[in-house]
Amino acid sequence: MTLPLTPVITAFERSPDRGRGLARDMRVRWALEEVGQPYEVRLVSFWAMKEPAHRALHPFGQIPTYEEGALALFESGAIVFHIAERHAGLLPDDAHARARAIAWIFAALNTVEPPILDLQTTKFLEGDKTWYEQRLPIVKDRIRDRLGELSARLGSADWLDGAFSAGDLMMVAVLLRLKASGLLDEYPNILAYVARGEARPAYKRAFDAQLAVFAGKPPTG
Amino acid sequence: MTLPLTPVITAFERSPDRGRGLARDMRVRWALEEVGQPYEVRLVSFWAMKEPAHRALHPFGQIPTYEEGALALFESGAIVFHIAERHAGLLPDDAHARARAIAWIFAALNTVEPPILDLQTTKFLEGDKTWYEQRLPIVKDRIRDRLGELSARLGSADWLDGAFSAGDLMMVAVLLRLKASGLLDEYPNILAYVARGEARPAYKRAFDAQLAVFAGKPPTG
């Protein structure tokens, strides 16, 4: 008999979002809390994230990573899926419903997140450029296209496809990045959907855990 | 005994890439060819793609979709994964290697594709703006960051993690979008990696099949 392994994830030593729970470790923490799997966290500095030791775990020098014995994974989507596959509670038992829940994980990461991330990337990389203010409406309209389509599909349902799944977890995590922009306010059913996600006890536990890291280490910047 | 179901996928009636195999149906065709699963294709016009009948299959009004009896899926990542899970040849048997191959699917779609897609999106949406030429180097440098990291990880290996997997299929499909930009030429090992993907018989069969659609229906635009 082998002892159960406690997974170890990585997170920012000093989160750039100041503990608002928008970094990608939050998705993994939330999934682990949903399935009741204890975990350990190793904090990584921005400097260490780009060093060979961390890049051996994450080729793109980012967080989170996930280590479980001899298994090392990167990419929040892959880690959340790995957790969902090995524990009950995040994927339906029915094969078709399971495949559709996985489709929502991919939709969150490949269709909904890219335009949302562009809003942050453009501010970071082009915030001081002459065209920044003129470009912003183009970036926001691309997000509105996606939100409108998501809103139409969600309708008055609580979750995207039946019971709460890893697809909802990922979609809510992605949408939360828009909270400060005010864009979610234009879609009341999406706003309520995100609030339902945030109200889950597992979300709250994960949020508090990442906030504790920030609170314990105030940024100097 | 039930009869085996032939999956039906959707593709552009008139592909905007003029048959260069860059539309997302190519990934699904390639996966189906790798595992030897026959399939049918239903062509969809740009108009029909945004209509309720298609949106019932794909909430974001895009292609591809995948129908297999009562199962309907969207998102190329989810469809390729579904195919890989149900047939031999696209995911390793070893549980750890399988999880890592899935991580590469997510890395292709969530880390590598977004900056690559930005190059096309910015041309389409901002090609006529005064800032377009000034912005281009910023967009290209973001792609170079990812390519440099990918190149470092790939090294002199044939594939990203042991034998060819669905992770390589998705990564090559994403990288092919850069072919016309010349950016791949700066990374000889990535260029050779993409060429290895294109040289696979299954890739060629899939490419020819999508090209036949374009050749049969010359665009009026």
Side-chain angles (χ1 to χ4, degrees):
Chain A
M1 192 186 132
T2 51
L3 288 171
L5 296 163
T6 302
V8 180
I9 70 169
T10 50
F12 290 128
E13 188 178 69
R14 294 184 182 190
S15 183
D17 78 344
R18 306 175 66 88
R20 287 186 296 142
L22 305 181
R24 284 185 169 95
D25 61 294
M26 181 62 199
R27 304 163 185 191
V28 175
R29 291 176 186 268
W30 186 4
L32 289 163
E33 291 288 354
E34 287 283 352
V35 303
Q37 169 65 53
Y39 62 100
E40 289 171 14
V41 182
R42 194 174 69 245
L43 301 178
V44 189
S45 69
F46 285 104
W47 174 82
M49 226 163 59
K50 306 300 177 187
E51 289 296 296
H54 187 72
R55 286 206 192 262
L57 288 173
H58 197 313
F60 302 100
Q62 299 179 327
I63 61 97
T65 58
Y66 177 96
E67 291 163 272
E68 183 194 324
L71 173 64
L73 289 179
F74 66 105
E75 285 288 329
S76 61
I79 299 169
V80 166
F81 175 69
H82 175 81
I83 295 163
E85 218 182 5
R86 271 149 196 81
H87 300 266
L90 284 175
L91 285 174
D93 291 330
D94 174 73
H96 288 189
R98 179 179 176 277
R100 291 196 306 268
I102 294 169
W104 282 112
I105 300 178
F106 280 103
L109 294 172
N110 195 232
T111 296
V112 179
E113 186 166 43
I116 289 177
L117 210 55
D118 198 24
L119 191 63
Q120 288 168 259
T121 309
T122 201
K123 187 175 180 182
F124 185 69
L125 293 178
E126 302 167 51
D128 61 345
K129 304 295 182 193
T130 53
W131 62 76
Y132 176 68
E133 290 295 335
Q134 285 172 278
R135 231 195 128 234
L136 218 44
I138 299 173
V139 176
K140 288 186 175 175
D141 279 349
R142 282 184 63 218
I143 297 172
R144 285 189 182 98
D145 285 346
R146 293 294 176 245
L147 293 181
E149 291 164 323
L150 186 67
S151 172
R153 169 54 68 106
L154 180 63
S156 60
D158 277 357
W159 306 111
L160 287 167
D161 192 336
F164 176 82
S165 79
D168 294 298
L169 184 153
M170 198 57 85
M171 190 64 81
V172 169
V174 162
L175 293 170
L176 276 165
R177 289 177 174 259
L178 285 177
K179 219 176 172 182
S181 74
L183 282 166
L184 293 180
D185 303 338
E186 301 172 21
Y187 306 88
N189 66 335
I190 295 187
L191 201 61
Y193 170 68
V194 170
R196 267 190 294 278
E198 290 179 292
R200 292 180 71 84
Y203 177 90
K204 289 182 178 175
R205 287 194 297 273
F207 184 89
D208 290 346
Q210 64 80 38
L211 182 61
V213 173
F214 173 75
K217 296 184 181 229
T220 54
Chain B
M1 193 186 133
T2 51
L3 287 171
L5 297 163
T6 302
V8 181
I9 69 169
T10 50
F12 288 128
E13 189 178 68
R14 296 184 180 188
S15 182
D17 77 343
R18 307 177 65 87
R20 287 187 296 141
L22 305 181
R24 285 188 170 93
D25 61 295
M26 179 63 199
R27 303 163 185 190
V28 175
R29 291 176 186 269
W30 185 5
L32 289 163
E33 291 288 354
E34 288 283 350
V35 303
Q37 170 65 54
Y39 62 100
E40 290 171 13
V41 182
R42 193 174 69 243
L43 301 178
V44 188
S45 69
F46 284 104
W47 175 82
M49 228 163 59
K50 306 301 177 188
E51 289 296 297
H54 188 72
R55 286 207 192 260
L57 287 172
H58 197 313
F60 301 100
Q62 298 179 326
I63 60 97
T65 58
Y66 177 95
E67 291 164 90
E68 184 194 323
L71 174 64
L73 288 179
F74 66 105
E75 285 287 328
S76 60
I79 299 169
V80 166
F81 175 69
H82 175 79
I83 295 163
E85 218 182 6
R86 272 148 195 82
H87 299 266
L90 284 175
L91 286 174
D93 291 331
D94 174 74
H96 288 190
R98 180 179 176 277
R100 291 195 306 269
I102 294 169
W104 282 112
I105 300 178
F106 280 103
L109 294 172
N110 196 231
T111 296
V112 179
E113 187 165 43
I116 290 177
L117 209 57
D118 198 25
L119 192 62
Q120 289 167 259
T121 309
T122 200
K123 189 175 179 181
F124 184 70
L125 293 178
E126 301 167 51
D128 62 344
K129 304 295 182 193
T130 53
W131 62 76
Y132 176 69
E133 290 296 335
Q134 283 173 279
R135 231 196 129 233
L136 217 45
I138 300 174
V139 176
K140 288 186 174 175
D141 279 349
R142 280 184 64 217
I143 297 173
R144 284 190 182 98
D145 286 346
R146 293 293 177 242
L147 294 181
E149 291 164 324
L150 186 68
S151 172
R153 167 55 66 107
L154 179 64
S156 60
D158 278 356
W159 307 111
L160 288 167
D161 192 337
F164 176 83
S165 79
D168 294 299
L169 184 153
M170 197 57 85
M171 190 64 82
V172 169
V174 163
L175 293 169
L176 276 165
R177 290 178 172 259
L178 285 177
K179 218 176 173 184
S181 74
L183 282 167
L184 293 180
D185 303 338
E186 300 172 21
Y187 306 87
N189 67 335
I190 294 186
L191 201 61
Y193 170 68
V194 170
R196 267 189 295 280
E198 290 179 292
R200 292 180 71 84
Y203 176 90
K204 290 182 177 175
R205 288 194 297 274
F207 184 89
D208 290 346
Q210 63 81 36
L211 182 60
V213 173
F214 172 75
K217 299 187 183 221
T220 53

